[in-house]
Amino acid sequence: MAETVPDMLAGAARRAGDTRLHFADGDATYAELEAEGRRAAAGLRALGVGPGDRVGFWLPNLRAWIALYAGCCRLGAIAVAMNTRFGRTEVEDVLRRARPRVLAFVPATGRTDNAAILARADPAARECLAAVVQCGGGAAAAIPGTPVVPCAEVAAGPAMAEDLSAPDAPCNIFLTSGTTSLPKLVLHRQDRVVRHAGDAAAAMELGAPGAVAMQALPFCGVFGFVFLMAALRAGAAIAAPEIFEARACAEMAIRHRVTHVAGGDDMFDRMLAEGDRLTGGAERPFPSLRRCPYASFNSALADFPERAWRRGMPLLGPFGMSEVFSFFSLRRAGDPPGTRTLGGGFPVNPEARVRARDPETGEILGHGEAGELEAWSPNLFDRYYGDEAATARAFTGDGWFRTGDLGSTAADGSFAYLARMGDALRLGGFLVNPLEIETHLCAHPAVADAQVVAVATARGNRPVAFVVPAPGGGGIDEAALAAHCRGALAGFKVPVRCLPIDAFPVTDGANGTKIQKTRLRRMAEEAVAAGG
């Protein structure tokens, strides 16, 4: 029988009612949090929120986030995820396109004055707001023309007995990265959120005795959201810092005997360094860890996953995106060392399938052949909110989702993610994963990090590398780096230019920091055209 999010939370409260959940704004048990969600539903309804209405969540990882989300789902409303790093332009875009009736926020995140950003937003964009719910302490924010209600008041009244949720009711909107166009608004349904949470929890063994999940990823991103939902579905103990800070998270992992953490390679690398400081360089600074799904963002850390395994940090490669959820698939702890940290793995839902299609001929490829990955699952997103044309383009005629990712399938039912199709390089007639060239460049002592793009030339597409010089590495010698690549890579993979750069242009997203490959391609084209 299909479940709703309120059903899931009520079930967790029955099974693990006294399990502790630790948050920056106060600890709670599952039973207390479920009751708080019922009260939040009543409070949100009093502010005018009803079925189908949107509620903006511009919040860090707080207990209030979960209570308000539970209330939102009980009302049949839709939670709109907003990155805590959003500026005025991004906030205005959400207000104009999603038109939330209520927006929950904290007045400040770090040094960012969120209250000032919201107050300066275009009044026409703010017209959709009936009220703003302020979480966290401090004086009440002043938002012109919009009532500001303390979060404590929203969840202070009698609990809402009525349940307006439904399995097929939409409940979440996530924003895609939007590095080359406006972000799409990815809409998900309650039953699919719950079912995928159960699938992911089972794959990560979050229901095992003594499981403690540390929520270091922001709830506003699909990566952090799914990890949170999986922990809640399993009734696991949870420890959640408000924002990620390496030392505080390392201390939390040791103090709470954390068994499960999800994050990016940079995050885990920093945690391990802090663990060394806290334990005096113990061989296994986090001995309680069991599963650590991780995403690879930094090509300079290509050797980190296996190094982390040797130090008792069991990283596993997943695959996911807003449309198919994070942890659509996951590698297994028993996989060979060479594959267990690669992106991809086995779909967590037993009905889910993945195939690869040749982007030029349109033919479905055999196992081991690289092409565009297409996915089918009973838990795919419902649609792009407000964009029927984009929704139609996203699916094949037989209902499979076009991921836009390069990868290949295997006979055992797993698959390998290689790169975004837009990042994959067509060189010498072959699709090439740029990570292969980047990793080799990073092995040179003069290079701290590298990114590679392809540029059209009179001799066909050729790779161009952007390299961050290593401190004390003696600077960048293009001829030496080309020779370094020529000694180990096929000729068509050797960069025609190796351009020094202080830092890569990036876009900060809720799931991690993404390098702006499109901008790098423009820079590479200009450099090659100028011959400089």
Side-chain angles (χ1 to χ4, degrees), residues 441-442 444-449 467-476 501:
L441 283 167
C442 288
H444 193 283
V447 178
D449 204 352
V467 292
V468 177
I476 299 302
I501 191 170

Side-chain angles (χ1 to χ4, degrees), residues 358-411:
D358 187 305
E360 295 183 353
T361 68
E363 295 181 0
I364 301 300
L365 298 170
H367 297 314
E369 298 182 86
E372 181 180 7
L373 294 174
E374 296 176 350
W376 185 91
S377 164
N379 300 328
L380 292 179
F381 77 116
D382 190 70
R383 63 186 184 276
Y384 291 122
Y385 183 82
D387 197 337
E388 294 181 4
T391 303
R393 290 193 301 270
F395 288 93
T396 64
D398 56 351
W400 290 55
F401 173 67
R402 309 177 197 271
T403 68
D405 290 325
L406 176 71
S408 61
T409 61

Side-chain angles (χ1 to χ4, degrees), residues 52-90:
D53 287 334
R54 278 76 60 207
V55 177
F57 279 66
W58 195 21
L59 294 169
N61 294 1
L62 298 173
R63 167 180 171 174
W65 194 105
I66 302 177
L68 290 169
Y69 177 68
C72 191
C73 289
R74 178 168 285 274
L75 289 167
I78 303 169
V80 182
M82 299 174 64
N83 192 336
T84 54
R85 297 179 179 179
F86 273 178
R88 190 178 72 181
T89 298
E90 293 99 337

Side-chain angles (χ1 to χ4, degrees), residues 47-367:
L47 295 177
V49 178
D53 287 334
R54 278 76 60 207
V55 177
F57 279 66
W58 195 21
L59 294 169
N61 294 1
L62 298 173
R63 167 180 171 174
W65 194 105
I66 302 177
L68 290 169
Y69 177 68
C72 191
C73 289
R74 178 168 285 274
L75 289 167
I78 303 169
V80 182
M82 299 174 64
N83 192 336
T84 54
R85 297 179 179 179
F86 273 178
R88 190 178 72 181
T89 298
E90 293 99 337
V91 170
E92 288 178 347
D93 177 56
V94 171
L95 294 176
R96 289 191 179 104
R97 292 199 289 147
R99 296 190 60 78
R101 187 161 182 79
V102 168
L103 187 150
F105 86 124
V106 289
T109 305
R111 297 180 180 179
T112 302
D113 190 339
N114 298 332
I117 290 173
L118 191 56
R120 291 197 302 267
D122 183 355
R126 288 202 313 267
E127 284 181 351
C128 60
L129 295 174
V132 170
V133 175
Q134 179 173 322
C135 304
I143 311 298
T146 308
V148 178
V149 182
C151 184
E153 290 185 13
V154 174
M160 178 175 159
E162 189 178 5
D163 188 351
L164 302 180
S165 65
D168 62 351
C171 61
N172 284 86
I173 287 177
F174 296 102
L175 278 68
T176 58
S177 57
T179 55
T180 58
S181 61
L182 279 177
K184 297 183 181 69
L185 307 182
V186 181
L187 186 68
H188 283 282
R189 293 172 19 171
Q190 293 205 27
D191 56 346
R192 298 178 185 182
V193 167
V194 173
R195 186 165 51 213
H196 184 70
D199 293 337
M204 289 185 277
E205 300 183 7
L206 273 164
V212 181
M214 185 167 76
Q215 298 288 335
L217 290 165
F219 298 164
C220 59
V222 71
F223 199 1
F225 172 80
V226 172
F227 193 63
L228 170 66
M229 290 296 109
L232 293 173
R233 174 72 168 171
I238 293 174
E242 184 171 343
I243 58 173
F244 174 76
E245 194 281 317
R247 186 174 184 86
C249 285
E251 291 172 345
M252 183 176 285
I254 294 170
R255 182 170 67 255
H256 292 290
R257 299 180 182 176
V258 167
T259 60
H260 293 71
V261 188
D265 47 8
D266 283 310
M267 187 194 94
F268 282 114
D269 185 42
R270 291 164 60 193
M271 274 187 62
L272 191 56
E274 292 297 338
D276 284 341
R277 295 186 183 96
L278 291 168
T279 63
E283 183 179 355
R284 296 168 60 93
F286 309 110
S288 58
L289 288 179
R290 302 175 190 170
R291 297 285 188 280
C292 296
Y294 96 110
S296 176
F297 296 118
N298 190 338
S299 56
L301 292 174
D303 68 332
F304 175 72
E306 291 306 321
R307 177 160 50 91
W309 266 88
R310 292 194 296 270
R311 301 291 309 282
M313 186 176 271
L315 304 187
L316 296 173
F319 174 83
M321 56 199 311
S322 296
E323 291 88 344
V324 304
F325 284 125
S326 293
F327 311 108
F328 171 87
S329 64
L330 188 67
R331 296 289 178 182
R332 296 168 178 172
D335 287 347
T339 61
R340 64 191 175 195
T341 58
L342 299 178
F346 296 85
V348 300
N349 183 279
E351 299 177 50
R353 299 289 182 269
V354 176
R355 66 192 184 191
R357 186 187 298 271
D358 187 305
E360 295 183 353
T361 68
E363 295 181 0
I364 301 300
L365 298 170
H367 297 314

Side-chain angles (χ1 to χ4, degrees), residues 420-440:
R420 288 293 295 168
M421 287 295 294
D423 296 341
L425 313 180
R426 176 69 73 172
L427 304 172
F430 299 95
L431 282 173
V432 176
N433 183 359
L435 184 62
E436 179 185 359
I437 307 171
E438 293 161 1
T439 300
H440 189 68

